[in-house]
Amino acid sequence: MTDSIRKGRTAVIYARVSTKGQADTGTSIETQLKVCRKWCEHEGVEVIGEFHDDGVSGTTTDRDAFSSMFGAIISKKPFYLVVYDSDRLTREGPGELENLKAILEKLRVETIYAGMGGLSANSTAAKVMDTYKSASDSLFVPLQKKKSQESVDRLITEGKHVSRSAGFVFEEDIPLMPKGRVLLEDRVREKKDPDGTVVRTVTKATVIASEKDFFALVDRGASIEVIAEMWGLGRHCLTEAVKGKSRCVREKCPIPDRYPEYVRRLKAAKESGVYDPVFEPYRKTVRARASKERAQCRAKATERRADGNKGSESLGKAVGDDGKKGVVQ
């Protein structure tokens, strides 16, 4: 552990597993979180956010929780990012790992490897380990990816689903999706950690609504943001469903793009002066969140400009000025 460890600070925790095999060999999500929490507790560090990707490869940065983790780092400004080891961040090789480290350093976040005794990623020992592991990944990850791809191709040939379950779908689209894409009820899994602790994980059931119900709300003046708030969904989750983005890995999902019709009907509702007061509480929540996000981004951009980061001003403008996009006023 380095001398840079600072007592009483804040941290964001991130965990990831790509296969069931990892979970069975002792590096389950819960095991990683437990080790990271233990380090934070021992060092007197307050945990202000936990994020984990379950069943997602480290050879890509297109990970939902990974993106959310970076969003939390930008908005909440923690002192530490605590992970089990460097493989949880990426397995794309030494170049990508160094890029991530550089980004985190610019954000003034110190990365801690809790599974390696609490080593700082900036320490000499951690750098040596990272170099060795990245070199190993460069050799073995391509072979693993090839085997995984062969397995995926086989499952697709058998008509089985190989992607993560959807968070939201229109019921009209279900027949167009592979079996397994829609989770009709919460899925509960239990396993034992090496210490005998039973770990219970729950994957929430897919939220299902009809296209008719969606457009009925749009015709009454509700935007995607408002409807997502009403249905307890993330804005991006609903937006992707409306745009027909299935996020299937390899399967063909011919889901229609409803976004142009959504834009046309929402515009027509606005021009006709339609106003339904039942949406106002949801609109206020959406506006408050957008206002908070704009303020945080502007504050961060100002801080970065003071540090001489030329790209910060454009970041603040893009995020700040577009924060109202799609929000019904």
Side-chain angles (χ1 to χ4, degrees):
M1 197 174 297
T2 67
D3 293 335
S4 61
I5 301 300
R6 297 162 287 186
K7 301 287 185 179
R9 304 291 184 164
T10 56
V12 165
I13 293 174
Y14 176 74
R16 179 190 65 79
V17 293
S18 58
T19 65
K20 182 179 182 296
Q22 281 186 320
D24 291 342
T25 55
T27 51
S28 66
I29 291 292
E30 191 57 37
T31 297
Q32 293 176 45
L33 293 176
K34 188 187 301 182
V35 171
C36 292
R37 291 169 188 152
K38 186 175 181 179
W39 179 87
C40 292
E41 181 181 0
H42 182 267
E43 297 298 330
V45 175
E46 179 189 0
V47 178
I48 57 175
E50 291 186 357
F51 304 89
H52 60 83
D53 284 302
D54 191 354
V56 186
S57 173
T59 59
T60 175
T61 53
D62 184 15
R63 298 173 247 155
D64 294 340
F66 185 78
S67 300
S68 298
M69 177 266 292
F70 263 102
I73 287 176
I74 292 173
S75 62
K76 297 183 179 181
K77 304 178 184 178
F79 287 88
Y80 304 110
L81 167 61
V82 185
V83 295
Y84 189 81
D85 57 28
S86 61
D87 283 351
R88 301 313 98 203
L89 291 175
T90 181
R91 296 198 69 187
E92 290 189 85
E96 183 60 27
L97 179 60
E98 290 306 313
N99 287 339
L100 288 174
K101 284 184 177 181
I103 292 171
L104 290 166
E105 187 174 344
K106 286 183 180 180
L107 293 172
R108 299 180 179 180
V109 177
E110 182 175 359
T111 304
I112 300 296
Y113 300 152
M116 298 170 64
L119 282 177
S120 167
N122 298 325
S123 67
T124 301
K127 289 179 180 178
V128 171
M129 288 297 297
D130 284 346
T131 300
Y132 170 76
K133 294 178 77 174
S134 294
S136 299
D137 285 345
S138 298
L139 294 173
F140 296 115
V141 168
L143 295 176
Q144 293 175 342
K145 288 178 70 175
K146 182 180 179 181
K147 289 183 178 180
S148 296
Q149 193 59 62
E150 291 173 351
S151 177
V152 167
D153 291 339
R154 178 178 54 79
L155 291 172
I156 292 175
T157 302
E158 295 173 358
K160 296 180 181 178
H161 175 62
V162 296
S163 303
R164 284 174 288 172
S165 58
F168 170 82
V169 297
F170 287 109
E171 64 180 35
E172 292 83 357
D173 295 341
I174 294 177
L176 304 175
M177 295 181 169
K179 185 177 180 180
R181 178 65 174 159
V182 178
L183 198 59
L184 297 178
E185 57 184 22
D186 292 354
R187 182 172 58 205
V188 181
R189 292 174 175 170
E190 291 186 351
K191 66 171 291 294
K192 285 188 177 181
D193 272 353
D195 61 1
T197 303
V198 176
V199 178
R200 187 172 184 266
T201 58
V202 179
T203 302
K204 289 295 184 181
T206 301
V207 177
I208 302 172
S210 71
E211 177 183 3
K212 180 180 178 181
D213 290 343
F214 172 77
F215 280 115
L217 293 172
V218 174
D219 291 338
R220 289 162 57 193
S223 68
I224 282 178
E225 289 83 355
V226 172
I227 297 173
E229 192 69 31
M230 291 180 66
W231 290 353
L233 300 169
R235 173 171 60 90
H236 295 296
C237 180
L238 181 56
T239 300
E240 289 193 347
V242 173
K243 291 184 175 181
K245 295 183 178 181
S246 67
R247 294 295 179 184
C248 291
V249 177
R250 292 284 302 279
E251 307 97 322
K252 293 182 179 179
C253 300
I255 300 174
D257 182 0
R258 301 175 174 88
Y259 196 76
E261 183 179 359
Y262 156 75
V263 173
R264 179 181 61 78
R265 291 172 71 159
L266 181 61
K267 181 180 179 181
K270 287 183 177 181
E271 291 176 347
S272 63
V274 172
Y275 175 80
D276 193 330
V278 74
F279 300 138
E280 196 55 33
Y282 303 105
R283 288 192 176 102
K284 288 182 178 179
T285 301
V286 171
R287 289 173 187 155
R289 182 166 55 245
S291 177
K292 182 179 179 181
E293 290 174 353
R294 289 196 298 272
Q296 290 171 338
C297 289
R298 287 185 177 122
K300 192 65 181 180
T302 301
E303 178 184 329
R304 290 180 182 177
R305 285 197 294 274
D307 292 339
N309 187 331
K310 294 181 180 179
S312 59
E313 185 172 358
S314 61
L315 171 66
K317 182 176 180 180
V319 177
D321 293 344
D322 287 343
K324 296 180 181 179
K325 185 176 180 182
V327 178
V328 178
Q329 302 298 321

